[in-house]
Amino acid sequence: MHKILVVDDEKMIADAIGRILTKAGHFVTVVTSGIEALGELKEKEFDLAIMDLLMSELNGEELLDWIMSNKLKTKVLMMTAYGDARLRQQLLDKGASDVLAKPFDDIFAITRLVDKLFSE
């Protein structure tokens, strides 16, 4: 069982991802802001953070930078509805493990992607 942090300012999306990953056997913490996520990351260890890119106050890219600069062992899966190939590559270069396009055609694809990230 892996510890996963889900961060999305759209509560419905964050909760849905959290429920699916919990049913898949993971221990999931769901938060709805970058500030809350930073607090969780400072207090607990996570194997994976699934984060929305665009959020107010503290966005996913800033959280990714913080995770990398603090050398956490947390893998990062970024989610964005506004991505293109250039942005995807930029996030991967900064240390993201992968970038997932929103909206999801199949929300269960997250489970398959998470399984893939942990098998690498």
Side-chain angles (χ1 to χ4, degrees):
M1 174 159 66
H2 295 98
K3 292 190 271 183
I4 301 173
L5 176 64
V6 176
V7 188
D8 196 315
D9 56 354
E10 294 182 56
K11 184 172 176 28
M12 194 167 73
I13 292 173
D15 287 343
I17 294 169
R19 280 191 305 276
I20 288 166
L21 293 173
T22 298
K23 285 182 182 179
H26 301 288
F27 177 75
V28 181
T29 300
V30 174
V31 297
T32 57
S33 77
I35 299 294
E36 287 178 281
L38 184 59
E40 292 290 333
L41 289 163
K42 287 180 176 179
E43 292 179 20
K44 302 173 188 167
E45 289 185 23
F46 292 94
D47 301 304
L48 174 65
I50 301 174
M51 305 185 300
D52 189 23
L53 179 63
L54 295 181
M55 297 182 288
S56 59
E57 296 178 5
L58 185 62
N59 67 43
E61 187 170 4
E62 292 167 323
L63 284 169
L64 173 63
D65 290 342
W66 188 88
I67 288 169
M68 294 301 127
S69 67
N70 285 278
K71 297 179 176 36
L72 301 186
K73 294 179 181 176
T74 306
K75 293 182 180 193
V76 177
L77 172 59
M78 299 297 300
M79 301 181 294
T80 182
Y82 305 100
D84 58 17
R86 187 171 152 256
L87 175 62
R88 182 179 191 284
Q89 191 57 54
Q90 176 184 335
L91 294 169
L92 292 172
D93 290 345
K94 284 186 165 210
S97 297
D98 209 340
V99 180
L100 184 60
K102 288 170 56 177
F104 311 116
D105 292 332
D106 173 12
I107 195 156
F108 294 100
I110 291 175
T111 303
R112 292 187 296 274
L113 184 53
V114 166
D115 290 344
K116 178 184 161 214
L117 290 175
F118 287 128
S119 68
E120 295 176 343

